Amino acid sequence: MNALVENGPALLFYVFGALALVSAVGVVALRNPMYGAISLLTSFLSVAVLFLLRNAEFLAMVQIFVYGGGIMVLFLFVIMLINLHRLAEVKKFSAHMPVVALLVVLMIGVFGWFFLQTGFGPAFTQPDVFDHVGGVKMGNPEAVAMALYSPANLVPFEIASIFLLIAMIGAVTLGRRQ
Amino acid sequence: MLEVTTNHYLVLSFALFAIGLFGVAARRNMITVLMSIELILNSVNLNLIAFSYQLSDLTGQIFAIFTITVAAGEAAVGLGILIALFRLRESTQLDKATELKG
Amino acid sequence: MKDLVWVIPILPFLGAFLNGVLLRGRVDKKTAAIIACAVTGLAALLAIGVIWDYTHDAAYAGGKAFEHDYYVWMPAGPVHTLAEGVKNFNIPLGFLIDPLSCVMLFVVTFVGFLIHVYSVGYMAHEDGFQRFFTYLNLFMGAMLLLILGNSYAVMFVGWEGVGLCSYLLIGFYFKEEFPPYAGRKAFVVNRIGDFAFVIGLGTLVATFGSHKYTEVFSAVRANPAMMQGAGYLGLTLAGFIALCFFIGATGKSAQIPLFVWLPDAMAGPTPVSALIHAATMVTAGVYMVARSNAIYQLADGVNMVVAVVGALTAIFAATIGLAQNDIKKVLAYSTVSQLGYMFLAAGLGAYSAAIFHVMTHAFFKALLFLGSGSVIHAMGGEQDMRKMGGLKKHLPHTYKTFVIGAAAIAGVPGLAGFFSKDEILHNAAAGGHWILWAVGMVTAGLTAFYMFRAVFMTFHGPFRGTHEQEHHLHESPPSMTGPLWILAVGAVIAGWVGIPKILTLGFLPENVFGHFLEPVFAPILAPIGEHHAHHVSAGLEIGLMLGAIAVGAIGIFLAWRAYGGERGTAADDAFAARLPGAQRVLANKYYVDEIYDATVIRGFWATCRGLFRFDAGFIDGFLVNGVRNVTVEVLSLSSSLFDKYVVDGLVNGVGKLMNVGSRLFRRVQTGYVSNYALVLAAGMFALVCVFVLMRMR
């Protein structure tokens, strides 16, 4: 039991990390996009857990809400719209898939090795940054909110909102039937 | 005691990134491509969070919020394009969209 | 007054300038004539003044030369001479007055002025009136330069100048075909003589380093041995120079072999023939020899050559004159013959006799020519004596003066020609040159004969011309007859300055002329030439003189017998019938021109053509053009190849490269988005690798 508790975070990491990887592979490898979408959802949720392991609670929630609840729903709607016609079975991968596969393997190899042997200093040296606001422990959302609405990040915030507006208009315009 | 360091997170995020890249480059289905793009953006988020933890800096998380925002917007527009293209080509195969050929 | 000597040549040049440049085409004939005659008249007056001043100036008594250099014309620099080592050779422009130049000055200006006046009447109806007087004045200026110059260089300027004017005036009627040809012939033949003359001038520089008379002659007189030492071409130095000068004189003064231009020069207007080809220009050669007497005195062999050529020319020309029908041609050959006499005298060392004959000849030959001009004028341009006859009724003044001139030339005693011719023959005899004397005697007889033949054919007997000519006959205006009479007076009295001792009869002045000129012809070695060592006895002298008179009388008599009275041209026809060959030869002047043409001229032309062909064909054609062809071909070929393969190749190569490259790179644009994504990924991967590697280093 102690071992479980002690190694809990690591275990969780490995489990959900593997899940994320497998579901990512599923996204890429599954023929039916519906299945791919579900797989993607799984990946997102796994990543949300991984966020939690790194003291990013708010962001984990945001991930679930936005990605899972928003983007995935959008995808599913579109898939359903498109796949209505029961399209013919065609090749899954494009012609140059082997090249891409090779490239990807190469990349993983090189960068994987590189990342593994990078040295970092001590992590999480100031845990209070994540959930203390003005010395008072208030929780991660509050801390993020304080940081987000601070003068440094306000302008990007506003720009992001405008961006969303534009995206909305664009999506509506593109989706219209002429 | 098993230690999960930032290195692990880096490797994991890069693996997700690479898988997403594979999907973008090697799949014919338009929807799958878009989903792979989301995967990529997600892996980036993971990276950001890992470093935010490492450096004890909230900036990483803030940035991740923006990334998510952008991903959302981009997904919406991308799907809009996809629908428009689907209506034009009557197919979800990316091979059919070759106007840039030449 | 002597100091104004330089004005004398300037005046005619001024007249030429006014009539020829400034006032050309702007004044009427009368003004042009006044300008021309005025300058000549003034020059004549000034000449008399200068001569008077010179002869009465005690500082120059005894014939000392007055000379003045006006400026240095050619400062040529040091030259290596034979006589005096390295000397600075300068040619100044200067004039010299001594007895010889006084005589020449008087003759040229006086006779020249008279002829100018005559020309006003003669040329009154001609085109180119102003041009005529321009040239005539130009000639006067050049002739005066010739005789007044104090150096050979200045004389040569005048020499060439009179040659030029001779050409201009002979070819005066340039619209016809023959006169320009005759002018060219005169100029070219002159030039041949001038070639030798210039060699002589050069030898003078090489020997003495100077052209000035005073310097040259004093050097010659100081070095007689050197002058008689080795020269060039196997002659002595003096001989060589003398020969070169004499060849120039044969050209200018129409001796054998270069006399051929003088008869053809009759194509010019008659006053020109009178002035240039009788009185002045042709005597330039004699003047030159007389001026160079110091050199000639030391040139024994050449002296003989001069005398023999002179004598031969005299008799040769006289024989031709017998068979001529053109009145001017008769006078032309007569001039050649009389010039021969002058050179005969000069060759014998009798320089003052030669100059004496120059003076008397100027008077009577000018008179004869002007008289013939009067006749031609009356005959409306006809010059053939066979168409004349009986003109003494119509042209009394012309007739009388012409007869006086003919008598003078024939040696009628008391007239000018008698004294001068007699002196020449006397010198020949006294020197023991009996053959030359005989030739001179025969020539005298021939002279009298052909001269009076001309007189009788022209003025006596029936008129043989056309009716219109007969109507046209009239005596010339006083502007023409006036000079005739003045010259006639001269032809009579000019000889009286040279009365030989025998005839002085105790009271007449003996040989004023000869004494006057003595200082100029001062002997160097012995009495002039060794030949004058002998003297003829008084009796022999009288005898010879009577012989000459007799010969002349016989000549006149025979002419009367043949042509006088009403006989007209019958004698000529009889001669032609009896001796047709001889008549033809004489009438055709021994075919001299034809011989020259066939040999010298044709040979020369052939050589020229051959050289031209060589130059044009071989040098131009083969060498120059050949080289050009080769270089052009090679260059053009190589440059075309270069252009085609290298330059174009480069250009086309770039194009092809672009083509190939673009075709290659086009394949990148597959159109498949997946491909683009792949490339994107690969590129990104590479970049990151590079970045990381750099970081790691």
Side-chain angles (χ1 to χ4, degrees), chain C residues 350-639:
Chain C
Y351 301 106
S352 58
I355 298 294
F356 188 32
H357 202 57
V358 166
M359 188 173 81
T360 57
H361 176 264
F363 280 105
F364 56 67
K365 195 46 73 58
L367 169 61
L368 287 167
F369 264 112
L370 293 185
S372 75
S374 185
V375 167
I376 295 166
H377 188 250
M379 290 288 294
E382 179 63 65
Q383 295 181 215
D384 194 334
M385 292 191 294
R386 294 173 293 190
K387 303 226 175 63
M388 302 179 191
L391 292 180
K392 68 177 180 197
K393 305 195 271 292
H394 305 275
L395 309 170
H397 292 285
T398 308
Y399 171 62
K400 291 186 187 116
T401 51
F402 199 88
V403 168
I404 293 174
I409 198 174
V412 167
L415 301 181
F418 167 72
F419 292 105
S420 57
K421 208 180 287 192
D422 182 71
E423 193 177 333
I424 297 175
L425 293 173
H426 171 81
N427 272 295
H433 306 281
W434 291 106
I435 303 180
L436 291 176
W437 174 89
V439 168
M441 289 290 280
V442 170
T443 310
L446 291 172
T447 307
F449 181 79
Y450 69 65
M451 216 54 244
F452 275 90
R453 165 176 176 265
V455 169
F456 294 134
M457 272 179 83
T458 308
F459 294 101
H460 290 229
F463 182 71
R464 296 180 292 275
T466 66
H467 268 289
E468 305 118 59
Q469 284 173 330
E470 195 164 6
H471 281 297
H472 191 254
L473 287 175
H474 61 282
E475 180 59 273
S476 306
S479 64
M480 286 165 72
T481 54
L484 285 178
W485 275 112
I486 300 177
L487 286 171
V489 169
V492 171
I493 67 173
W496 296 351
V497 294
I499 305 177
K501 188 131 180 250
I502 311 181
L503 296 179
T504 52
L505 306 173
F507 64 93
L508 296 165
E510 184 217 334
N511 206 356
V512 172
F513 194 82
H515 289 307
F516 182 60
L517 286 178
E518 227 175 271
V520 184
F521 304 129
I524 299 182
L525 302 170
I528 296 181
E530 295 127 15
H531 319 286
H532 231 59
H534 334 113
H535 270 278
V536 287
S537 62
L540 189 56
E541 195 181 337
I542 299 274
L544 295 173
M545 205 178 290
L546 287 172
I549 298 172
V551 158
I554 293 170
I556 298 175
F557 176 68
L558 286 175
W560 165 257
R561 277 296 304 273
Y563 302 98
E566 299 294 309
R567 282 179 274 272
T569 55
D572 270 346
D573 302 327
F575 178 49
R578 263 312 172 76
L579 298 167
Q583 198 273 348
R584 245 205 318 277
V585 166
L586 288 183
N588 286 311
K589 43 188 171 56
Y590 294 96
Y591 298 105
V592 174
D593 280 317
E594 286 77 2
I595 295 172
Y596 279 174
D597 185 56
T599 54
V600 176
I601 294 175
R602 259 187 223 196
F604 189 66
W605 274 111
T607 315
C608 288
R609 260 192 286 271
L611 284 175
F612 170 73
R613 236 181 312 205
F614 175 68
D615 181 54
F618 180 66
I619 294 181
D620 279 349
F622 184 68
L623 289 181
V624 173
N625 287 348
V627 168
R628 172 188 58 105
N629 281 340
V630 168
T631 47
V632 164
E633 290 303 318
V634 168
L635 278 178
S636 74
L637 186 70
S638 62
S639 88

